[in-house]
Amino acid sequence: DTAVSQTPKYLVTQMGNDKSIKCEQNLGHDTMYWYKQDSKKFLKIMFSYNNKELIINETVPNRFSPKSPDKAHLNLHINSLELGDSAVYFCASSQASGGQQTQYFGPGTRLLVL
Amino acid sequence: QKEVEQDPGPLSVPEGAIVSLNCTYSNSAFQYFMWYRQYSRKGPELLMYTYSSGNKEDGRFTAQVDKSSKYISLFIRDSQPSDSATYLCAMSPLSGSARQLTFGSGTQLTVLP
């Protein structure tokens, strides 16, 4: 069983297009995240939702808009794609209350903007 | 200057060697320290987790945290080719309804058979 899944795995698109990436977790967690990993493997948080509420919103262009329809899903919509948006986007989830709050990552979506 | 600094490598060692991976950080609010392992074309997976200063051992892996020096380490004993991956340190402060992680840039490790 896949704990955190993302679709699509690969996305190749033209500059200026709008695209969405979907994430689902079946771990029963209440918190989900979007990270961006650049070509140098630097992983940076973009957004976090706890119980469908946005709680972390880093300095990200407003072309990026996350949406959490329920606790198990967190989608990322990107408008007017730019070359610099090319990266691997990871979704993660964790349980916010108590314990280690280990974040479990999805397999990533490799976005290439041409 | 980045909040978390990590030597990107690449680091190449023979099988059986002891590997030392390190990160330094500048934010004294960090209390939780983690090491993630990321295989090529996969998502990061948690390897070790430490709270505050001290050592933690799990099999061939030992994590050390020295908060006074703002320095953390991961040691891998008897390294195996299957340990070849990128190792990311991550840390976060106390509190918050979501643990916001700040990652290092990762060290790429290759263990040669």
Side-chain angles (χ1 to χ4, degrees):
Chain A
D1 281 348
T2 304
V4 182
S5 59
Q6 296 178 226
T7 53
K9 286 190 177 166
Y10 299 95
L11 190 50
V12 182
T13 188
Q14 300 287 331
M15 271 176 54
N17 284 350
D18 302 339
K19 290 293 178 186
S20 290
I21 307 171
K22 296 187 176 184
C23 178
E24 177 181 359
Q25 55 95 3
N26 62 6
L27 297 167
H29 289 163
D30 58 6
T31 305
M32 296 184 72
Y33 312 77
W34 277 113
Y35 287 86
K36 179 180 180 181
Q37 187 172 47
D38 61 24
S39 58
K40 293 187 174 160
K41 294 286 194 180
F42 186 59
L43 198 61
K44 185 168 172 53
I45 190 161
M46 300 172 69
F47 302 103
S48 176
Y49 272 74
N50 175 256
N51 286 316
K52 302 197 300 174
E53 182 184 343
L54 181 65
I55 53 169
I56 296 173
N57 185 355
E58 290 297 298
T59 308
V60 176
N62 58 15
R63 298 182 294 104
F64 290 79
S65 52
K67 277 196 173 55
S68 181
D70 56 56
K71 287 197 307 183
H73 296 85
L74 180 62
N75 304 323
L76 183 65
H77 188 75
I78 315 170
N79 289 327
S80 304
L81 278 155
E82 299 178 358
L83 294 177
D85 297 333
S86 296
V88 183
Y89 292 83
F90 286 101
C91 176
S93 74
S94 69
Q95 184 60 30
S97 55
Q100 293 186 178
Q101 298 185 21
T102 300
Q103 292 188 20
Y104 294 85
F105 285 79
T109 295
R110 281 155 186 79
L111 171 64
L112 179 61
V113 182
L114 302 173
Chain B
Q1 184 190 4
K2 290 181 183 172
E3 273 192 296
V4 180
E5 298 277 359
Q6 184 175 6
D7 185 342
L11 181 61
S12 190
V13 301
E15 184 175 352
I18 296 175
V19 176
S20 172
L21 305 168
N22 311 294
C23 287
T24 59
Y25 62 96
S26 56
N27 188 347
S28 56
F30 288 143
Q31 299 284 343
Y32 296 93
F33 304 91
M34 287 140 275
W35 286 94
Y36 279 80
R37 178 174 61 194
Q38 185 176 16
Y39 290 115
S40 181
R41 301 197 165 270
K42 300 286 186 186
E45 56 177 339
L46 183 67
L47 195 59
M48 296 287 284
Y49 173 95
T50 320
Y51 170 63
S52 197
S53 283
N55 292 359
K56 185 173 183 179
E57 190 173 320
D58 183 1
R60 296 184 295 109
F61 299 90
T62 300
Q64 284 186 355
V65 174
D66 181 351
K67 288 186 66 183
S68 62
S69 303
K70 295 191 177 68
Y71 187 87
I72 71 170
S73 301
L74 177 70
F75 297 96
I76 307 174
R77 289 185 301 281
D78 187 23
S79 56
Q80 303 293 310
S82 57
D83 295 328
S84 298
T86 296
Y87 290 80
L88 300 150
C89 63
M91 40 200 86
S92 73
L94 278 171
S95 79
S97 57
R99 194 147 292 158
Q100 183 166 348
L101 298 181
T102 301
F103 282 86
S105 54
T107 300
Q108 187 180 337
L109 171 68
T110 301
V111 180
L112 302 168

